[in-house]
Amino acid sequence: MIPTIIAISIVSFVIIQLPPGDYLTSLVSGMAAQGETVDRASLKALEERYGLGQPLYIQYWLWVKGIITKGDFGDSFEWNLPVNKLIWDRLGLTFLLSLSTLIFIWIVSFPIGIYSAIRKYSVGDYIATFIGFIGLAIPNFLMALVLMYIGFKYFGHSVGGLFSPEYIDAPWSLAKVGDLMNHLWIPMVVLGTAGTAGLIRIMRANLLDELYRPYVVTARAKGMAEWRLLLKYPVRVALNPFISTVGWVLPTLVSGATITAIVLSLPTTGPLLFKALLSQDMYLAGSFIMMLSILTVIGTLISDILLAWLDPRIRLK
Amino acid sequence: MSDDAKRFSGLSVKRPSPGAPPATPEPSLEPESRVQVASQWQLMWWKFRKHKLALVSLIIVILVYLIGLFAEFLAPQLPGSYSARHTYAPPQPLRFVERTDNGWRPALFVNGYKVEVDPVALRRTFVVDPESKIPVRFFVKGETYKMWNLFETDRHLIGPVKSGEPMFLLGADRLGRDVLSRTIYGTRISMSIGLVGVALSLILGIILGGISGYYGGAIDNLIQRIIEFLRSIPTIPLWMGLAAAIPLTWPPLRVYFMITVILSLIGWTDLARVVRGRFFSLKTEDFVTAARLDGASEIGIILRHMVPSFMSHIIASITLAIPAMILSETALSFLGIGLRPPVVSWGVLLQEAQNIRSVATAPWLFWPGAAVVITVLALNFLGDGLRDAADPYE
Amino acid sequence: MTLNQTLISVRGLKTHFFTDEGVVKAVDGVDFDIPRGKTLCVVGESGSGKSVTARSIMQLIDRPGKIVAGEVLYYREEGKPIDIVQLGNTGKDIRSIRGNDISLIFQEPMTALSPIHTIGNQVTEAILLHQAITKEEATERAIQMLARVGIPKPKERMTSYPFELSGGMRQRVCIAMALVCEPVLLIADEPTTALDVTTQANILDLIFDLQQEMGMSVMFITHDLGVVAEIADEVVVMYLGQVVEQSDVDTIFHNPKHPYTQALLKSIPKLDLEERHRLEQIRGMVPHPFNRPSGCSFHTRCEQIMRGTCERITPQYLELEPGHSVRCLLYQDEAKEVNA
């Protein structure tokens, strides 16, 4: 956990340092482009703050120290604002989107996976498998584009965004939440299709593994009714590996959310990260990449804890 | 081989199959012993053939690679040639029969265009004009190109008889470029980036996974942590961060190479896992111990005894890794931070579809997307079939 | 044997598996009786259809398997016998028999218990499914039962998970679970095979003791003739999905008729053998289930084969003397005389 976060911060710092030319040069040229000049004193202050001109590891240390002690991620020269003023809202919405998609994926793939395993090789199983494969093969952004096209062509309005125009700057209220829910389902479907396909296959395979285990026959030999038995034993056992898929579903969702958000112009991290990268606003971009990764790792950790709570074999060993 | 296989299936399946000849009279081995003497690849092929969907997918994948290989010849036009007069021209269906006064007769042609002015938007749009005909022929002379950069020729598989007449079977884009030709050229780049990227991942995966699985211990632990780390973080933001650092001034070939390197830097983990798992299970096998007792060198053991026995698994994993690479490249290029024009890949082509208004007027810009979906689907089915076939315990 | 001494009577049972490669006739026309309150041992090599027969009695055959013919008559203390085959495999009727009248324990105590439910949960469930009592009463009963099968500190064990117990302890839990409703028949499918030798003996003793206490019948499936000699009253010998011989245990050991039974007995290692004496074995291997030999299915391995006869004629299963039946062409005439 801690080593992972340290590794993430190093990778993010490397990304910040990757573009040629240092931060100060871009800042000065950026401000010059807006017709402003920077006086020597503030240049000096910036140089000290970021440790520019000093070895990279010192710069890295100063950056990390700033984040931990003061919550200071550096400045975005594009926005002329501290990075931490820009990222939290968007990170919040990104994770709201990812988590609701995760729940959506679970709710959809769980029953379908069970059905596919129990009625193996039935027509329904084949249909689920086939739709699943198609879901895996369509890139997120393409599906977003197609949905937008359908919305535009047949319903005459664009389907992008997470809020209707009147709510964008409005304070949070019940109506705004309702409006959010109204918009959320499109990115949820876009993001969730691939994951749903994957999880159906996982649930199916897990359950098929469990369905013919002796303990199932034991339960049947006790005289239990079939559905009760299925839910209490094999489905319950197959649930654990299903939950542990968060470990890879969450990174994929956050990953996919980035590109989907760019296509659907959602007010999440994607578009802002993208803009930051294009204009090489590196402290902003690097901070986004770092925080997305760290929050993903934390999400995975939470799922591991949940799993330990559900599975006595992990909990008690 | 196929003869053998036929005999095998005739023996193992007791149920009389209609149409099949009655059991071959020649004295043949018992089914079990035939299975026992069959090579690993034969067994795999026998199992693979049962998987019809995978078999069809194999054919599709081969076709797609052939399209990529012969792109110059198959494409009616060059990827860069444009016709300002045919902006967003809709697809012209290829017709095989024409109607004359004496009834129908075979002919190969497409209909020409006429311009209509939209009375509301006052915009010029092209529509296919059923009255005019543009004759089309196979193996026509068209624009000159250099096949595989080796020799010059001007033969194309199909094209208008009179060079220069419009023929857009899948429509034209913003600059009046032929979507079909560009998709065909894109096949070459997108499919090859999958191969090159997987080759790089494979090298990384085999080296690191092999070290990890063969030596175990602390180094295994370290490599496992790295793999876990790479898998626990969202890849697209990371790719974007790395790809955005590629200078705009670089030549296309260098960008192409950098993108594959970036993709495989993160994509090697799956292959490494497979290799490591196989190494772990194989190194305690008796035949490996026997080779070691015979005094074979470590490298010799790995190359001569261990690698051949997990080749089939590796091939299955590679097949499943290629579509992931293709999707990643497509995503990056779509965003404009992967491959960049004038290089033509499916992702670059889909960039044209980014603007919802242009897609609304020209939905045929989605065609490269269909190419992506079909290819990825076929590769996934193929990989699945191979994986099932490679697994001896199913 | 008169009718009311019989608990279960299996007649003409056929259970086939319809796989992609063809039909496997795992059980192909089996007849035998399980006597009330006694122990029946079913003996045979792997693949002879012992386990499938046992599961067919409880209607526990999964797809692609199916009982295609025959009947399993269950004689209750009073009333008419029930044909279990007619009950179907999911309905209420069969479920009220499973676990209540007939119970099953398995070879693999490691996997026969759910890994993520507590022992208590799994044992009390068996009670609550069949008896209208409260959870507390069921828990009390479960603890008593665990004590009865010799589990130390049964109260504490109720909250344990299977992976916290040894193999022998798990098998005891399985036995407790199977017997908690006091069934009339316990089917034990090689319950000691996966255990080490001393544990094996303990488990055998336990089953035997509980049988004495509860007066139930036991159908004990094994390939270990030593175990048979120790516990059986009646013995059924199976080969390739058919019963080749049934008799009381003394007759089987001292006057076996079927060449297969004789060969099995010869292959038992004996302590008094001379040194350097090779252990006898039955020649050849069990044929592949798709390649069932014609005529008598044992003819490919039989020492007493009658060339030209055994390959062609399928032997009938006939009573040689009261309570001793055999399926072999060597005795066909003799048996017909007896029956006549």
Side-chain angles (χ1 to χ4, degrees):
Chain A
M1 176 73 186
I2 299 292
T4 312
I5 289 179
I6 293 173
I8 290 172
S9 71
I10 293 175
V11 170
S12 310
F13 186 72
V14 168
I15 288 175
I16 291 175
Q17 297 296 327
L18 266 184
D22 68 24
Y23 171 73
L24 218 53
T25 331
S26 3
L27 183 76
V28 173
S29 65
M31 291 179 96
Q34 290 168 11
E36 295 173 39
T37 45
V38 191
D39 61 89
R40 282 207 156 268
S42 48
L43 266 184
K44 189 89 188 139
L46 282 171
E47 218 163 88
E48 223 157 81
R49 175 172 166 204
Y50 294 115
L52 300 175
Q54 298 192 55
L56 274 180
Y57 65 88
I58 293 185
Q59 292 189 32
Y60 168 73
W61 173 240
L62 284 173
W63 180 64
V64 170
K65 203 172 84 180
I67 292 171
I68 295 172
T69 56
K70 290 178 282 186
D72 171 19
F73 288 84
D75 284 355
S76 158
F77 71 82
E78 182 86 1
W79 294 73
N80 219 347
L81 278 172
V83 165
N84 68 354
K85 288 239 162 73
L86 291 165
I87 59 173
W88 295 111
D89 279 358
R90 290 182 172 251
L91 280 172
L93 280 176
T94 300
F95 274 84
L96 176 71
L97 175 61
S98 301
L99 288 179
S100 37
T101 310
L102 185 67
I103 292 165
F104 164 78
I105 290 177
W106 272 345
I107 291 174
V108 175
S109 57
F110 190 66
I112 298 182
I114 295 176
Y115 174 84
S116 270
I118 294 172
R119 298 264 176 277
K120 195 173 132 188
Y121 302 138
S122 68
V123 179
D125 178 28
Y126 279 122
I127 292 174
T129 310
F130 191 72
I131 292 178
F133 264 114
I134 290 185
L136 282 176
I138 301 180
N140 282 329
F141 69 88
L142 191 60
M143 189 177 299
L145 278 177
V146 172
L147 278 184
M148 274 173 81
Y149 169 71
I150 293 171
F152 188 82
K153 191 90 179 168
Y154 299 100
F155 302 102
H157 65 91
S158 91
V159 294
L162 277 183
F163 301 101
S164 308
E166 63 266 31
Y167 286 112
I168 287 179
D169 288 319
W172 283 99
S173 65
L174 220 57
K176 187 172 179 177
V177 172
D179 184 57
L180 174 66
M181 290 301 143
N182 250 338
H183 283 78
L184 202 59
W185 68 270
I186 290 177
M188 255 164 67
V189 169
V190 169
L191 272 179
T193 310
T196 308
L199 282 204
I200 287 176
R201 288 165 57 74
I202 287 176
M203 185 66 203
R204 180 178 183 273
N206 286 341
L207 191 53
L208 280 178
D209 267 0
E210 299 298 330
L211 225 40
Y212 303 101
R213 289 280 164 92
Y215 70 82
V216 181
V217 188
T218 307
R220 204 170 284 143
K222 280 186 207 169
M224 255 183 124
E226 199 64 14
W227 270 105
R228 244 183 92 193
L229 176 161
L230 280 176
L231 291 180
K232 179 169 177 187
Y233 293 106
V235 170
R236 176 67 187 76
V237 177
L239 187 64
N240 292 345
F242 186 74
I243 286 174
S244 70
T245 53
V246 178
W248 62 264
V249 173
L250 198 60
T252 339
L253 283 181
V254 173
S255 198
T258 308
I259 191 163
T260 310
I262 295 171
V263 177
L264 291 176
S265 46
L266 307 180
T268 56
T269 41
L272 204 58
L273 168 63
F274 184 55
K275 244 189 276 168
L277 283 170
L278 287 186
S279 56
Q280 307 215 321
D281 185 356
M282 292 321 283
Y283 276 101
L284 183 56
S287 307
F288 266 137
I289 291 173
M290 181 170 78
M291 288 318 292
L292 280 176
S293 307
I294 288 180
L295 289 176
T296 308
V297 169
I298 292 175
T300 312
L301 183 78
I302 292 173
S303 83
D304 283 348
I305 294 171
L306 182 69
L307 188 64
W309 174 66
L310 276 174
D311 193 334
R313 286 169 297 184
I314 301 174
R315 185 179 357 128
L316 295 174
K317 261 178 192 170
Chain B
M1 160 85 182
S2 79
D3 221 2
D4 284 0
K6 238 178 260 157
R7 212 187 311 147
F8 168 78
S9 58
L11 267 173
S12 76
V13 182
K14 261 277 165 119
R15 179 178 54 185
S17 50
T24 34
E26 58 176 306
S28 47
L29 294 161
E30 293 274 306
E32 293 98 311
S33 45
R34 285 191 46 76
V35 170
Q36 279 153 15
V37 296
S39 78
Q40 179 196 5
W41 299 105
Q42 262 173 321
L43 285 173
M44 211 172 141
W45 169 241
W46 287 337
K47 277 180 77 180
F48 181 76
R49 281 183 326 163
K50 285 200 207 158
H51 205 319
K52 291 283 172 282
L53 202 54
L55 212 55
V56 173
S57 301
L58 176 66
I59 294 167
I60 294 177
V61 168
I62 291 175
L63 281 179
V64 172
Y65 273 112
L66 286 178
I67 290 174
L69 196 57
F70 295 101
E72 293 98 334
F73 171 66
L74 295 171
Q77 294 186 24
L78 295 185
S81 58
Y82 57 91
S83 159
R85 292 189 300 124
H86 295 100
T87 309
Y88 292 133
Q92 302 155 293
L94 195 58
R95 312 249 178 222
F96 297 95
V97 284
E98 69 177 336
R99 195 150 141 187
T100 62
D101 298 336
N102 311 331
W104 298 91
R105 71 183 182 90
L108 197 63
F109 67 95
V110 293
N111 294 118
Y113 290 109
K114 64 181 176 194
V115 179
E116 266 178 14
V117 178
D118 189 327
V120 186
L122 289 177
R123 217 175 23 190
R124 287 178 349 132
T125 47
F126 286 91
V127 286
V128 176
D129 174 15
E131 298 304 316
S132 74
K133 284 171 191 152
I134 298 168
V136 168
R137 228 188 304 146
F138 285 106
F139 304 108
V140 291
K141 286 190 180 209
E143 291 166 297
T144 311
Y145 58 88
K146 214 166 178 194
M147 187 74 190
W148 296 329
N149 245 344
L150 290 178
F151 56 90
E152 271 193 6
T153 169
D154 55 3
R155 292 281 165 192
H156 293 259
L157 176 68
I158 192 170
V161 174
K162 233 193 277 164
S163 186
E165 278 193 301
M167 186 191 85
F168 301 104
L169 296 179
L170 296 183
D173 69 2
R174 179 170 53 92
L175 298 175
R177 292 174 295 195
D178 181 26
V179 172
L180 173 65
S181 301
R182 285 169 69 75
T183 307
I184 289 177
Y185 274 93
T187 307
R188 171 174 293 175
I189 302 291
S190 289
M191 294 306 279
S192 72
I193 218 164
L195 280 188
V196 177
V198 167
L200 287 177
S201 312
L202 184 65
I203 294 170
L204 273 172
I206 286 196
I207 292 176
L208 291 173
I211 291 174
S212 198
Y214 196 81
Y215 292 106
I219 186 143
D220 173 42
N221 221 326
L222 177 70
I223 292 174
Q224 286 314 301
R225 292 292 89 74
I226 295 176
I227 291 180
E228 267 171 34
F229 165 66
L230 285 175
R231 291 173 73 94
S232 67
I233 54 179
T235 45
I236 286 185
L238 198 56
W239 275 329
M240 283 167 62
L242 294 172
I246 298 175
L248 289 164
T249 49
W250 278 16
L253 194 69
R254 211 150 127 203
V255 175
Y256 174 96
F257 189 70
M258 266 322 285
I259 292 290
T260 45
V261 167
I262 290 173
L263 293 183
S264 41
L265 265 182
I266 302 170
W268 59 273
T269 53
D270 275 326
L271 285 168
R273 278 193 156 187
V274 176
V275 173
R276 170 177 178 270
R278 291 276 102 195
F279 260 106
F280 256 125
S281 62
L282 281 174
K283 78 177 169 187
T284 49
E285 289 276 338
D286 289 344
F287 70 91
V288 175
T289 317
R292 193 167 298 134
L293 292 176
D294 283 348
S297 69
E298 294 287 280
I299 286 292
I301 292 171
I302 293 174
L303 291 183
R304 208 150 344 107
H305 299 281
M306 294 174 79
V307 172
S309 59
F310 65 73
M311 253 341 254
S312 53
H313 287 260
I314 297 288
I315 288 175
S317 307
I318 287 177
T319 317
L320 288 169
I322 292 177
M325 281 286 166
I326 294 176
L327 286 178
S328 314
E329 180 274 325
T330 310
L332 283 185
S333 302
F334 169 78
L335 288 178
I337 48 180
L339 301 179
R340 291 187 274 255
V343 174
V344 180
S345 79
W346 290 335
V348 172
L349 293 178
L350 282 170
Q351 243 187 308
E352 291 281 332
Q354 216 175 44
N355 185 332
I356 190 66
R357 273 164 215 289
S358 47
V359 184
T361 33
W364 48 89
L365 292 176
F366 278 133
W367 274 115
V372 174
V373 173
I374 291 170
T375 308
V376 170
L377 210 52
L379 280 164
N380 271 330
F381 282 134
L382 175 63
D384 242 37
L386 286 175
R387 191 173 48 187
D388 284 356
D391 189 354
Y393 303 109
E394 185 56 41
Chain C
M1 191 182 298
T2 59
L3 213 58
N4 57 8
Q5 281 180 301
T6 305
L7 180 70
I8 298 270
S9 175
V10 178
R11 286 290 169 267
L13 182 71
K14 289 187 180 186
T15 304
H16 295 178
F17 287 78
F18 300 89
T19 68
D20 287 343
E21 284 78 30
V23 179
V24 179
K25 297 177 178 174
V27 172
D28 200 26
V30 157
D31 306 283
F32 65 88
D33 295 321
I34 302 174
R36 203 179 284 276
K38 293 197 171 155
T39 301
L40 171 82
C41 276
V42 181
V43 194
E45 286 164 287
S46 15
S48 60
K50 301 169 301 204
S51 294
V52 177
T53 307
R55 289 174 190 217
S56 299
I57 291 176
M58 291 184 78
Q59 286 277 348
L60 286 175
I61 301 296
D62 274 323
R63 276 183 303 181
K66 197 171 180 272
I67 300 177
V68 292
E71 49 189 19
V72 175
L73 295 173
Y74 168 34
Y75 296 89
R76 299 202 187 214
E77 299 266 330
E78 57 246 16
K80 285 208 318 198
I82 305 169
D83 183 1
I84 294 178
V85 174
Q86 298 302 322
L87 295 181
N89 54 12
T90 49
K92 225 178 183 155
D93 298 329
I94 183 68
R95 279 193 270 126
S96 70
I97 290 179
R98 284 181 195 154
N100 197 26
D101 297 9
I102 307 176
S103 285
L104 182 64
I105 54 175
F106 292 104
Q107 187 182 115
E108 277 289 338
M110 300 295 170
T111 52
L113 292 167
S114 161
I116 56 166
H117 293 91
T118 58
I119 306 292
N121 181 327
Q122 299 186 55
V123 179
T124 43
E125 180 189 67
I127 309 171
L128 290 169
L129 278 168
H130 298 289
Q131 289 170 19
I133 56 174
T134 63
K135 258 197 166 140
E136 290 69 37
E137 288 171 312
T139 308
E140 205 44 52
R141 282 270 290 282
I143 294 171
Q144 282 169 14
M145 195 65 216
L146 289 180
R148 211 160 154 194
V149 297
I151 288 178
K153 294 193 199 158
K155 212 166 190 160
E156 282 83 347
R157 283 285 91 100
M158 290 287 278
T159 52
S160 299
Y161 289 93
F163 63 84
E164 298 173 280
L165 302 183
S166 69
M169 280 300 144
R170 282 187 223 187
Q171 193 60 288
R172 283 172 196 268
V173 172
C174 289
I175 293 170
M177 209 161 68
L179 298 186
V180 76
C181 290
E182 310 218 334
V184 289
L185 172 63
L186 173 71
I187 300 178
D189 189 353
E190 308 203 27
T192 56
T193 313
L195 303 173
D196 62 66
V197 185
T198 44
T199 321
Q200 266 184 30
N202 290 336
I203 295 287
L204 280 180
D205 287 343
L206 175 67
I207 294 177
F208 188 74
D209 291 346
L210 290 168
Q211 181 183 17
Q212 300 304 311
E213 282 176 42
M214 299 182 173
M216 65 192 172
S217 305
V218 174
M219 175 176 172
F220 198 98
I221 295 166
T222 181
H223 54 247
D224 185 342
L225 287 164
V227 171
V228 176
E230 208 173 312
I231 63 168
D233 296 309
E234 281 280 313
V235 181
V236 161
V237 182
M238 286 189 71
Y239 185 76
L240 274 187
Q242 290 181 323
V243 175
V244 294
E245 190 162 3
Q246 170 169 16
S247 174
D248 62 90
V249 64
D250 287 337
T251 315
I252 286 288
F253 275 91
H254 299 117
N255 186 21
K257 290 294 182 194
H258 199 283
Y260 179 60
T261 317
Q262 293 168 357
L264 273 183
L265 288 167
K266 265 189 243 161
S267 64
I268 303 178
K270 294 187 187 72
L271 285 176
D272 54 358
L273 281 180
E274 292 166 39
E275 255 181 86
R276 300 185 148 271
H277 184 93
R278 260 187 91 97
L279 203 54
E280 290 210 37
Q281 57 179 39
I282 306 177
R283 69 187 168 98
M285 291 198 302
V286 182
H288 195 267
F290 292 130
N291 286 344
R292 182 188 289 276
S294 58
C296 169
S297 53
F298 187 60
H299 83 255
T300 51
R301 304 170 71 191
C302 186
E303 298 280 350
Q304 302 167 51
I305 179 173
M306 299 181 285
R307 297 259 170 231
T309 310
C310 293
E311 298 96 319
R312 286 187 304 110
I313 303 169
T314 308
Q316 285 174 288
Y317 187 50
L318 292 171
E319 198 163 48
L320 208 54
E321 47 198 284
H324 186 186
S325 303
V326 69
R327 186 192 293 275
C328 178
L329 291 167
L330 289 170
Y331 310 104
Q332 272 326 231
D333 300 334
E334 201 182 317
K336 271 178 192 145
E337 271 167 40
V338 173
N339 286 355

